[in-house]
Amino acid sequence: MTLQSRNQDSKAEEPWQLAMFRKGLKKRLRLKALKALLDPIACDERCLLLTCGDNNGAMNHFLRELGGKWSWADLEDHSIAEMSALLGEQVVHAAEDVIPFANSAFDRIVVIDVHEHVDDPRIVNAELARILKPGAQMIITTPNGNEKKLAVRIKNLVGMSKEAYGHKRIGLTADEIEALMRGDGIHPRNTTWFSYFFTEMLELTINFMYVKVLRKDDHGQGVQTQAHYHEDDHDHAEIAPATAEQLRKVKTSYRIYTLIFPVYWVLSQLDRLVPFKEGYCVVVEGTRKA
């Protein structure tokens, strides 16, 4: 077998979650921001990633490559089985008021887009502080909660409001995240942003196409953006395929997107021209007081 054919076979065997991740603009930006704040991780450090339904396991895979001993938890259960299969490890189903780990269990906690999904961010934040060791690191990412930003207003105009994303609120501002941290004895140290206007608009076209065009029910109508659950479950909305079956149903459109992705990536670089400091995604890093 030639080197070229081996490389082709390796690429063909790549899990669908990782292949999708490589074609995601904001996912790659988020990973870059997290790497800058996490590096280095000692091999014996215990780390946790908490997500909320819009995770297929790819982010977990790439964070695990940074080192440490990782645990995984998600507030939704619809993709946990496939996440666990990808990782070869258990992904825990958590609740916003019960994250099933011991007090002071972790040296690092990464929380990706959770606080905007829950009824009361203070509850989940208190649980996160409980399982964080004194002196240990917490990183929280959320969409920017500033409703006046132009891309947010455009999303609302085209029907991609917070409900379409399964959010209880647009997001949280940096000040709101920092205040939550301080309330639980966590000292904010670094605040950064990623994803500016052009990336947001490009991502909007992808999400709009999936929600409003590709996801059809048996009668040819756009499906409801809120899934039906028992009252004690979290509502969630799917703005992109979260399971292999969902991806299979839109495979033709996804193949087209993979072909045009290089164009999307080039256009996203126009963000460099945006003069504003605050982007559409917030990252706050802090440490729990000893």
Side-chain angles (χ1 to χ4, degrees):
M1 180 181 291
T2 66
L3 177 61
Q4 181 179 2
S5 61
R6 285 198 299 270
N7 289 340
Q8 289 174 342
D9 289 343
S10 176
K11 184 176 181 179
E13 294 169 2
E14 183 177 50
W16 65 269
Q17 295 99 321
L18 305 187
M20 278 192 65
F21 186 95
R22 299 185 198 282
K23 304 299 182 184
L25 298 173
K26 289 169 71 171
K27 289 180 173 62
R28 291 166 54 169
L29 291 171
R30 181 179 290 108
L31 179 59
K32 181 179 179 181
L34 291 174
K35 281 183 174 180
L37 293 169
L38 286 167
D39 187 51
I41 301 177
C43 60
D44 61 344
E45 288 189 88
R46 289 199 62 195
C47 310
L48 171 69
L49 172 62
L50 178 68
T51 50
C52 189
D54 54 359
N55 180 23
N56 62 24
M59 180 63 77
N60 311 54
H61 169 88
F62 290 112
L63 288 179
R64 185 169 61 183
E65 291 184 337
L66 302 180
K69 299 177 180 178
W70 285 86
S71 297
W72 322 107
D74 199 290
L75 296 190
E76 298 284 0
D77 63 358
H78 62 280
S79 59
I80 280 181
E82 291 193 61
M83 290 168 62
S84 298
L86 171 68
L87 298 167
E89 298 174 351
Q90 180 186 15
V91 178
V92 175
H93 184 204
E96 62 185 273
D97 58 343
V98 180
I99 302 175
F101 297 100
N103 293 350
S104 303
F106 295 102
D107 301 284
R108 317 260 191 154
I109 295 179
V110 178
V111 190
I112 296 180
D113 293 1
V114 168
H115 290 69
E116 70 273 18
H117 286 272
V118 300
D119 291 317
D120 189 345
R122 294 172 299 179
I123 294 175
V124 70
N125 212 70
E127 268 293 276
L128 290 164
R130 176 186 66 80
I131 61 177
L132 186 67
K133 291 180 181 179
Q137 180 187 46
M138 180 185 292
I139 303 173
I140 296 174
T141 81
T142 74
N144 192 332
N146 183 352
E147 298 187 22
K148 296 180 180 180
K149 292 183 74 65
L150 179 58
V152 174
R153 298 202 299 267
I154 293 173
K155 289 177 185 179
N156 289 333
L157 285 173
V158 300
M160 293 295 288
S161 62
K162 65 180 186 295
E163 289 79 14
Y165 291 85
H167 296 177
K168 302 293 185 179
R169 54 193 57 76
I170 294 293
L172 283 80
T173 65
D175 288 344
E176 289 171 332
I177 299 173
E178 291 171 5
L180 277 174
M181 283 185 164
R182 291 190 185 97
D184 289 310
I186 299 169
H187 173 62
R189 298 191 307 177
N190 295 292
T191 298
T192 61
W193 291 264
F194 65 91
S195 188
Y196 291 81
F197 179 77
F198 293 99
T199 295
E200 286 294 311
M201 289 296 95
L202 292 166
E203 286 271 333
L204 175 59
T205 65
I206 300 167
N207 296 337
F208 182 90
M209 180 63 66
Y210 183 71
V211 171
K212 302 296 185 180
V213 179
L214 297 179
R215 292 180 61 206
K216 301 292 186 178
D217 64 14
D218 293 337
H219 304 290
Q221 301 295 322
V223 299
Q224 296 294 319
T225 57
Q226 294 274 1
H228 297 289
Y229 288 96
H230 298 296
E231 288 185 1
D232 58 345
D233 287 335
H234 295 281
D235 290 334
H236 79 276
E238 294 161 357
I239 59 170
T243 66
E245 176 60 19
Q246 291 171 354
L247 182 61
R248 185 193 63 79
K249 291 179 180 180
V250 296
K251 62 181 180 181
T252 299
S253 298
Y254 178 69
R255 286 173 183 166
I256 295 172
Y257 169 69
T258 62
L259 293 175
I260 65 173
F261 175 75
V263 177
Y264 268 59
W265 184 86
V266 169
L267 291 174
S268 73
Q269 301 309 298
L270 292 171
D271 276 352
R272 298 173 185 270
L273 303 177
V274 176
F276 307 113
K277 176 184 176 182
E278 290 194 10
Y280 285 85
C281 297
V282 186
V283 185
V284 181
E285 181 261 355
T287 55
R288 183 179 172 187
K289 296 177 182 178

